[in-house]
Amino acid sequence: MSAASNDSTVTQRLNSRIAKFRDLSPSDRLTRVGEVAGLGQDTVAALRGGGVLPPKVADGMIENVVGTFELPLGVATNFTINGRDYLIPMAVEEPSVVAAASYMARIARDCGGFSTSSTGPVMRAQIQVLSLEDPHGARSRLLSNRERILEAANRKDRVLIELGGGCRDIEVHVFESTPVGPMVVLHILVDVRDAMGANTVNTMAETIAPLVEEITGGEVRLRILSNLADLRLARARVEYTMEALATAEYPGERMASGIVEACALAVIDPYRAATHNKGIMNGIDPLIVATGNDWRAIEAGAHAWAARSGRYTSLSRWEINGAGRLVGTLELPMAVGLVGGATKTHPAARAALELLGVESAQELAEVAAAVGLAQNMAALRALATEGIQRGHMALHARNIAIVAGASGAQIEAVASVLAREHDVRVDRAREVLAGLGKDGQ
Ligand code: MEV
């Protein structure tokens, strides 16, 4: 099922198509975003950044705090997902990511936008049992005590039960031969609702450990969640018409077949799959970071899922359907939360979630999948045609201009010379800068 509404009665909270957004100054962009999304002054101030995370709060979040670390926060425009418009907050240091996602979303928008779905928010935790004479007997005893185990796990977290979540089921995995003898691993499967769920499932796993020892007669060691969140999947799909794909230089058919061929290499070859999937995560991670979620968990889950067959492969698929449309699909674990951790403590993360306007962790997961698919499409589209360096270098040139000491109007002036000359180096930027006045003339 889809967490983001999929019917034609969708009420639009905002219009994510903001004309000439790129041409505005950062401050004017923020004003526009605030107006379009109806944000309050505090939210707008939190998105502006510049010391929004108070040292006291930062000191409470991790240890040995000495300061805070800032990243650029961009907003990807044009996203329509299940008929609803979204503005996507993205915290990232890499140029061209936000522009590429926005551009792909714009083309997708003309073709009906993204469709998404997801499983329920079910996380797994593992309880490792050692020192067993009869691992299969232990498995059988655990399975026949399923109700007791569920009851013990759920006794601890009344709030989760009231919210409709809780430990739903168990699995028992037997490893007859390991370097340390036979091993049984009990999995608890927990609906964590709108939490990322690590704390919830870890607490449950620790709580039931004595019961597991009693039932199996073994010794419990590890009690920890699995980041291979294969019961918490988010999926996105997009279809592009050939007309929408066509550019002045390339017909849509050439673009589509190039994308399908590029994806084929990622499907068969782990060397390419790693880079292909990195391109997907280029879209997902910035949203995960901006919303204060655990991007290491998302990365770990994505790559473990990509390798689940025993061979690392592409997370997405691109094909041409019977109607002659290019169809992209993506499915991956997405353990994100709206409650707990930095999602609540970090003012900018709270503001990013408000801008996004999602109502559940499942909806956030689906939006993340759609952004990942858009980002993947952008990379493949460039790789299948002119290569990524032309667009990338144009944006990278701005960074190099700043490193060389350019400011204000000088940045664009220096960057455009570097991009035109295909010579994006700091020493050349310094030379160009030396020949310019303060106004960039
Ligand atoms: C660069 O950050 C990401 C790409 O390498 C992704 C890809 O190759 O698909 C462009």
Side-chain angles (χ1 to χ4, degrees):
M1 71 164 225
S2 166
S5 179
N6 204 6
D7 59 43
S8 54
T9 59
V10 160
T11 45
Q12 288 296 358
R13 193 179 138 255
L14 52 78
N15 181 350
S16 67
R17 178 100 185 86
I18 309 179
K20 303 219 185 308
F21 190 59
R22 253 181 104 160
D23 302 337
L24 303 176
S25 67
S27 152
D28 288 345
R29 282 188 205 119
L30 180 58
T31 306
R32 282 296 285 133
V33 162
E35 286 164 3
V36 168
L39 305 176
Q41 274 181 3
D42 289 353
T43 307
V44 168
L47 292 173
R48 181 175 293 115
V52 293
L53 182 62
K56 258 205 158 125
V57 178
D59 197 35
M61 288 170 73
I62 64 164
E63 311 71 40
N64 298 356
V65 165
V66 295
T68 56
F69 181 90
E70 296 196 34
L71 279 174
L73 178 69
V75 173
T77 53
N78 303 324
F79 272 85
T80 298
I81 302 170
N82 300 326
R84 173 167 289 165
D85 273 21
Y86 294 86
L87 286 169
I88 315 289
M90 300 179 85
V92 65
E93 88 299 342
E94 184 170 331
S96 67
V97 164
V98 180
S102 303
Y103 185 48
M104 287 308 120
R106 184 157 78 71
I107 306 181
R109 188 183 181 82
D110 296 339
C111 304
F114 297 84
S115 309
T116 62
S117 67
S118 52
T119 62
V122 175
M123 295 292 286
R124 299 176 180 264
Q126 298 181 288
I127 296 132
Q128 178 197 30
V129 194
L130 299 176
S131 310
L132 291 162
E133 299 292 328
D134 61 338
H136 288 281
R139 172 177 180 271
S140 168
R141 289 192 293 282
L142 283 167
L143 289 173
S144 34
N145 279 280
R146 176 180 173 277
E147 293 309 319
R148 266 179 89 196
I149 294 169
L150 295 188
E151 206 272 319
N154 284 329
R155 211 177 302 141
K156 196 85 183 164
D157 200 336
R158 286 285 140 214
V159 178
L160 183 63
I161 308 296
E162 275 160 27
L163 290 170
C167 188
R168 295 269 185 265
D169 211 345
I170 62 169
E171 282 176 13
V172 189
H173 301 228
V174 176
F175 300 92
E176 283 175 8
S177 166
T178 83
V180 294
M183 201 182 284
V184 165
V185 183
L186 169 68
H187 290 204
I188 51 172
L189 313 181
V190 185
D191 182 331
V192 296
R193 299 281 85 200
D194 280 332
M196 184 274 181
N199 281 331
T200 307
V201 300
N202 290 342
T203 304
M204 281 185 182
E206 291 188 6
T207 303
I208 64 168
L211 176 62
V212 172
E213 290 191 335
E214 182 197 314
I215 294 169
T216 58
E219 289 174 38
V220 165
R221 293 283 189 274
L222 303 189
R223 294 141 293 161
I224 185 75
L225 93 165
S226 169
N227 284 120
L228 175 49
D230 58 353
L231 299 174
R232 197 176 190 182
L233 300 173
R235 310 180 193 98
R237 181 169 54 81
V238 67
E239 290 187 16
Y240 290 97
T241 61
M242 294 301 146
E243 299 74 56
L245 288 173
T247 65
E249 287 159 307
Y250 297 96
E253 288 74 10
R254 161 73 180 78
M255 192 77 85
S257 61
I259 289 167
V260 172
E261 288 154 11
C263 185
L265 180 57
V267 171
I268 57 164
D269 178 6
Y271 285 99
R272 173 57 204 155
T275 323
H276 177 101
N277 291 343
K278 192 273 185 180
I280 293 171
M281 302 318 286
N282 269 352
I284 294 174
D285 286 346
L287 172 60
I288 302 301
V289 172
T291 56
N293 272 283
D294 180 346
W295 76 92
R296 286 89 54 213
I298 301 301
E299 284 281 341
H303 298 295
W305 175 253
R308 69 194 182 285
S309 69
R311 183 184 180 84
Y312 187 86
T313 186
S314 168
L315 287 165
S316 66
R317 292 291 185 277
W318 290 92
E319 51 205 357
I320 297 170
N321 72 8
R325 290 177 150 220
L326 175 69
V327 183
T329 49
L330 172 66
E331 180 179 52
L332 76 170
M334 196 59 70
V336 288
L338 293 186
V339 295
T343 54
K344 278 281 178 277
T345 49
H346 197 305
R350 282 203 309 270
L353 280 169
E354 196 182 325
L355 166 63
L356 197 59
V358 291
E359 276 156 29
S360 66
Q362 241 178 295
E363 189 181 350
L364 172 57
E366 292 183 21
V367 171
V371 181
L373 188 58
Q375 204 73 47
N376 182 219
M377 165 70 180
L380 298 190
R381 184 177 173 278
L383 288 167
T385 53
E386 66 182 26
I388 61 157
Q389 286 309 81
R390 196 162 98 186
H392 194 73
M393 277 303 163
L395 287 158
H396 183 52
R398 289 168 53 90
N399 275 343
I400 295 298
I402 295 167
V403 171
S407 61
Q410 294 172 331
I411 299 173
E412 225 27 82
V414 173
S416 63
V417 174
L418 301 187
R420 198 173 52 240
E421 293 177 349
H422 300 290
D423 188 9
V424 186
R425 290 178 298 119
V426 180
D427 52 344
R428 177 66 188 131
R430 287 205 184 99
E431 277 171 25
V432 177
L433 185 61
L436 290 178
K438 277 243 168 305
D439 57 356
Q441 301 296 308

